Amino acid sequence: MNILLKSAKIINSKTKEFHLKKRDILIKNGVIEKIASTIDAPSKTKIVTHKNLHVSLGWIDTGVSFGEPGFEERETIDNGLKTASSSGFTAVLLNPSSFPLPDSSSDIVFLKNSGEGQITNLHPFGNLTVNGKGETLAELYDMKNAGAVGFYDFKHAVSNPNLLKIALQYAQGFQGTVLSFPMDNYIAGKGNVNEGIVSTQLGLKGIPAMAEELQISRDLFILEYTGGKLHIPTISSGNSVKLIAVAKKKGLNVTCSVAVHNLMLTDEVLEEFDTNYKVLPPLRTNNDSKELIKGVKNGTVDFVTSDHTPLNIELKKVEFDNAEYGSIGLESSFGVLNEIFGTEESIEILTRGRKTFGLEEPDFKEGAKANLTLFDPKTELTFTEEHVVSSSKNSLFLNQKLKGLALGVIANNQIYLNS
């Protein structure tokens, strides 16, 4: 397939020669053949034009959930990857949130095979423990060899400190990454929103930020003792950023992410009792959001994830206490980040992550495989269900004004363009 991007503004600070320049880009059989001011289209070439066409290296999301196998009504792998492609992502890391949970090499092979032939690459996490019960380590080495990029009991903390110690020690032998969700279940109790003024006013049970900070403190102490690679997904507290910053100064091999909604929204939106705002970790205070944004800017927070969690309507259209945690986020990620950080910094954020999880990083030069995202950073829109490609519609950004629009992706010798 031949593709010609006409007058595309390149956003890639690593390639000084082309950064912020408008160029034509010719792609032949999945490879960038030529980058020049003007290129005449060869025969049988798909020409891509757009009034404000921008192009960058392909974006990656370090934590999404679909449904298949077991919860196909929420999202199939096929439609989940289509959603990712339409949202500008050429790679996603898949959380272990299906049924049965992926805790063996055969489960990882199934997930990898289910993503074969797609434009967006799927890289699954395997469960850290058997059945995600937090009792016995799963087949970590075998899953790594089958293609697992890390080991994670999704949204469940590793309650047993000795189990985390053993996991970090064992995984060092094959450069495995261990994930530990930052929440002490005993402190969190039956809470479901941030503990503070808003939870008190609304009469909702709270999860104090201390539940997150205690868990992170414990995990970092264990990491300092064992060594190894620890990733802490979706932090939400300003103090958590400070704890991780100290650990990084010590030289510990720790990374962390934040969910994009924890950067923009606070617990004040809960006043309408809209269950789309029920997420885990919960939306916290304005001060927490400010500290998290600072952490992203200075590199303490390594990645921003959509934390895409599709849920069918029966799990959300219930009383707040009974609703499931989670929001879809792939479709709105770029618009939110662009609003907060601006275009260049947003693209830098969206292309982080591959090296940490042992994935090949794409390159923006002639002769490199084309792994590109097309976007328009200036389009302003009110995000509605019409913009949702996911099977589930549980977005906490519905009816929010966002700035920026993904136009499509080019990867694996294929192109996806939004209509």
Side-chain angles (χ1 to χ4, degrees):
M1 176 186 286
N2 296 342
I3 302 166
L4 179 60
L5 307 181
K6 293 295 291 182
S7 193
K9 188 172 184 178
I10 298 170
I11 307 296
N12 183 34
S13 59
K14 295 177 183 177
T15 309
K16 301 296 183 184
E17 179 185 358
F18 300 123
H19 184 46
L20 300 180
K21 304 287 196 322
K22 282 189 176 183
R23 294 289 186 269
D24 287 2
I25 303 169
L26 178 62
I27 299 160
K28 280 190 175 183
N29 300 318
V31 175
I32 300 173
E33 180 167 285
K34 189 174 182 182
I35 304 172
S37 298
T38 303
I39 301 174
D40 295 328
S43 61
K44 296 182 180 179
T45 297
K46 182 176 183 63
I47 300 174
V48 180
T49 60
H50 186 81
K51 184 179 179 181
N52 192 35
L53 180 61
H54 284 58
V55 61
S56 72
L57 289 174
W59 304 343
I60 180 172
D61 193 322
T62 59
V64 305
S65 299
F66 297 149
E68 185 180 0
F71 303 111
E72 286 83 358
E73 71 279 7
R74 301 178 186 177
E75 192 86 283
T76 62
I77 289 174
D78 184 71
N79 195 67
L81 291 176
K82 178 184 175 183
T83 302
S85 298
S86 72
S87 305
F89 294 89
T90 62
V92 293
L93 274 54
L94 182 65
N95 291 319
S97 57
S98 57
F99 182 81
L101 292 168
D103 58 7
S104 69
S105 58
S106 59
D107 295 324
I108 300 300
V109 169
F110 169 82
L111 293 170
K112 293 284 288 183
N113 288 343
S114 297
E116 280 294 318
Q118 299 279 3
I119 301 177
T120 298
N121 293 308
L122 181 149
H123 305 285
F125 288 112
N127 265 92
L128 181 66
T129 64
V130 175
N131 294 322
K133 290 185 176 180
E135 297 171 356
T136 307
L137 286 183
E139 302 172 2
L140 307 190
Y141 181 67
D142 289 347
M143 287 194 288
K144 169 79 170 180
N145 288 338
V149 292
F151 311 105
Y152 179 27
D153 287 352
F154 179 59
K155 298 291 185 181
H156 287 85
V158 185
S159 296
N160 183 339
N162 191 53
L163 190 72
L164 180 62
K165 176 178 78 73
I166 294 169
L168 285 166
Q169 289 172 328
Y170 176 56
Q172 285 180 66
F174 50 89
Q175 298 298 305
T177 301
V178 174
L179 283 74
S180 179
F181 183 64
M183 189 171 79
D184 185 306
N185 294 324
Y186 297 104
I187 298 293
K190 295 182 179 179
N192 49 39
V193 299
N194 178 56
E195 182 178 271
I197 295 172
V198 173
S199 66
T200 303
Q201 290 173 337
L202 300 180
L204 294 171
K205 298 183 181 71
I207 300 174
M210 179 176 64
E212 175 173 301
E213 295 150 14
L214 278 176
Q215 186 74 26
I216 289 175
S217 297
R218 190 210 71 173
D219 290 353
L220 292 174
F221 270 117
I222 294 172
L223 178 66
E224 188 170 8
Y225 176 80
T226 61
K229 294 169 65 178
L230 177 67
H231 178 63
I232 303 172
T234 59
I235 66 171
S236 64
S237 156
N239 284 333
S240 296
V241 178
K242 296 173 185 176
L243 289 169
I244 293 166
V246 171
K248 287 188 172 188
K249 286 179 182 177
K250 289 182 178 180
L252 301 186
N253 193 349
V254 59
T255 55
C256 67
S257 68
V258 61
V260 66
H261 43 258
N262 283 98
L263 298 176
M264 177 171 272
L265 301 175
T266 70
D267 57 0
E268 293 179 5
V269 300
L270 296 170
E271 292 177 356
E272 299 297 322
F273 291 91
D274 185 342
T275 58
N276 281 332
Y277 295 121
K278 185 177 179 180
V279 290
L280 194 69
L283 301 174
R284 297 203 186 273
T285 67
N286 187 54
N287 183 63
D288 288 309
S289 294
K290 287 180 178 178
E291 291 299 319
L292 290 164
I293 289 171
K294 280 185 194 175
V296 174
K297 284 178 173 288
N298 65 31
T300 301
V301 179
D302 301 89
F303 319 120
V304 179
T305 172
S306 68
D307 202 20
H308 182 80
T309 307
L311 295 168
N312 46 298
I313 193 170
E314 292 85 358
L315 300 175
K316 279 293 189 179
K317 291 293 183 180
V318 293
E319 294 84 357
F320 197 93
D321 283 348
N322 297 325
E324 290 286 334
Y325 293 104
S327 166
I328 59 172
L330 281 167
E331 296 99 324
S332 51
S333 277
F334 174 58
V336 176
L337 286 173
N338 194 37
E339 189 78 35
I340 298 172
F341 297 102
T343 302
E344 290 184 58
E345 195 166 3
S346 294
I347 299 309
E348 196 277 325
I349 292 166
L350 286 162
T351 51
R352 297 178 188 171
R354 288 178 173 87
K355 185 177 180 181
T356 295
F357 295 99
L359 303 176
E360 181 182 355
E361 295 201 52
D363 207 347
F364 208 128
K365 64 181 182 181
E366 293 177 355
K369 289 182 181 178
N371 189 315
L372 306 172
T373 295
L374 313 178
F375 60 99
D376 176 353
K378 292 186 178 179
T379 294
E380 296 184 353
L381 68 148
T382 299
F383 186 73
T384 67
E385 284 195 10
E386 292 180 6
H387 302 104
V388 175
V389 181
S390 306
S391 301
S392 299
K393 310 301 178 186
N394 56 304
S395 171
L396 42 54
F397 287 112
L398 286 176
N399 302 316
Q400 294 270 341
K401 290 185 177 179
L402 302 179
K403 183 180 180 181
L405 187 67
L407 302 175
V409 293
I410 300 171
N412 296 326
N413 197 19
Q414 302 176 69
I415 183 169
Y416 183 103
L417 293 176
N418 292 315
S419 54

